[in-house]
Amino acid sequence: MKIAMMGSGGVGGFFGGRLAKAGCDVAFVARGAHLEALRRDGLTIESEAHGNIHVPKVVASADPADIGPVDLVIVSVKLWDTQDAARAIAPMVGPKTAVLSLQNGVIKDDILRGVFPAEKVMGGVAYVASYISRPGVIHQTGTMQRIVVGEHDGRASQRARELHEALLKSGVTAELSDDVRRAIWEKYVFLVALSGSTTTMRSTLGPIRANPASRAFFIDLMREVVSVGRALGVSLPQDYAEQRVPFMDGLPADMTSSMHHDLERGNRLEVPWLSGGVVTLGEKAGVATPANRAVSALLALYADGKREKAR
């Protein structure tokens, strides 16, 4: 498969780098100093758990038109850029091109289907703790490097099988799902809690899960997402939040979220689509979401980057 990564940061750079190292034909859409470093030095992934890898030569451009039509476009930009990214990737989308979002949230595929025919859009979700540590370098924390992919109609299509095989070859834990909507919501449950707690508390996961009050808050955040998802017809077990507690306890103590990194750097936050998205969907479904509403309120002054100045 010829693959283009629309967004080459923590997610796109990581999985695209692993696929390229495994011999796949991968092109990266990037910008600024990161793009310059990719062109000059290639792509490096630093990982204490899995070892460092380096791809000395990569195809990288700021303009998708330079790359042209591919078999698969993987979108991993921040959620607020989804609409613009969908329009920008048009030169890479040919008659047989599939589009796969590995972004956070649960409305990403709805946005893509507003730009492309529904049959072009695959479903997927990625699990990795990684970020750009410096231009051209992606740093991975912990051991997670997992992707779940599938067609929204549940078919085991050829394109899904080919991507699954390529991911396995790259060393990524990959799964084919016949209920990818549920898989997307399964991640949403945990991600909302991780991002909401680490960002509002300015802390890594270890202290949050060790303190009884913050631990309870984390689990409440998950429970609310489960309740909203079930009300919207997602096939999540009623006790799914409790099922994720052992997973939470098994993660590295220094694990945090990309939203926490963004807050520390003064960047824009994805909170309107994460905890804020739970609140919005909860209102539509008639489900109360007080914990996620609190996260949204606590981060409101930082949602657009830095802190709003007093007027």
Side-chain angles (χ1 to χ4, degrees), residues 189-190 192-193 215-230 236-242 245 278 287-289 291-292:
V189 169
F190 188 80
V192 164
R215 181 183 181 88
F217 186 71
F218 189 107
I219 297 171
D220 283 344
L221 290 171
M222 290 198 292
R223 285 174 176 154
E224 289 181 4
V225 186
V226 172
S227 296
V228 172
R230 285 172 56 84
L236 292 169
Q238 189 168 0
D239 65 344
Y240 186 69
E242 287 72 21
V245 172
V278 177
V287 176
T289 55
N292 281 284

Side-chain angles (χ1 to χ4, degrees), residues 68-86:
V70 296
D71 298 309
L72 173 67
V73 179
I74 297 180
V75 179
S76 56
V77 299
K78 291 293 187 178
L79 285 166
W80 56 79
D81 283 332
T82 307
Q83 192 78 42
D84 290 341

Side-chain angles (χ1 to χ4, degrees), residues 131-285:
Y131 59 95
I132 299 175
S133 60
R134 56 191 185 278
V137 180
I138 307 297
H139 183 83
Q140 180 188 20
T141 301
T143 62
M144 282 194 307
Q145 45 186 39
R146 174 181 173 232
I147 289 183
V148 182
V149 295
E151 301 289 356
H152 282 283
D153 62 5
R155 291 180 301 116
S157 66
Q158 180 179 346
R159 65 189 187 183
R161 291 195 301 268
E162 289 179 355
L163 176 58
H164 179 240
E165 290 170 4
L167 289 165
L168 291 175
K169 183 181 176 183
S170 75
V172 171
T173 301
E175 301 168 31
L176 276 175
S177 174
D178 60 3
D179 188 355
V180 76
R181 185 187 184 210
R182 170 174 167 164
I184 291 169
W185 272 83
E186 285 175 347
K187 179 185 177 181
Y188 194 50
V189 169
F190 188 80
L191 178 66
V192 164
L194 181 69
S195 62
S197 61
T198 57
T199 309
T200 55
M201 299 178 194
R202 277 66 165 176
S203 172
T204 56
L205 179 58
I208 292 171
R209 68 189 180 200
N211 180 279
S214 54
R215 181 183 181 88
F217 186 71
F218 189 107
I219 297 171
D220 283 344
L221 290 171
M222 290 198 292
R223 285 174 176 154
E224 289 181 4
V225 186
V226 172
S227 296
V228 172
R230 285 172 56 84
L232 294 174
V234 183
S235 57
L236 292 169
Q238 189 168 0
D239 65 344
Y240 186 69
E242 287 72 21
Q243 292 181 26
R244 298 306 282 163
V245 172
F247 174 73
M248 172 187 73
D249 287 334
L251 292 171
D254 63 349
M255 180 150 184
T256 188
S257 65
S258 60
M259 193 163 79
H260 183 200
H261 285 300
D262 285 335
L263 178 74
E264 291 183 329
R265 294 169 180 173
N267 296 336
R268 191 174 176 183
L269 307 182
E270 288 186 318
V271 66
W273 294 269
L274 298 179
S275 283
V278 177
V279 174
T280 300
L281 292 172
E283 290 172 348
K284 292 180 180 178

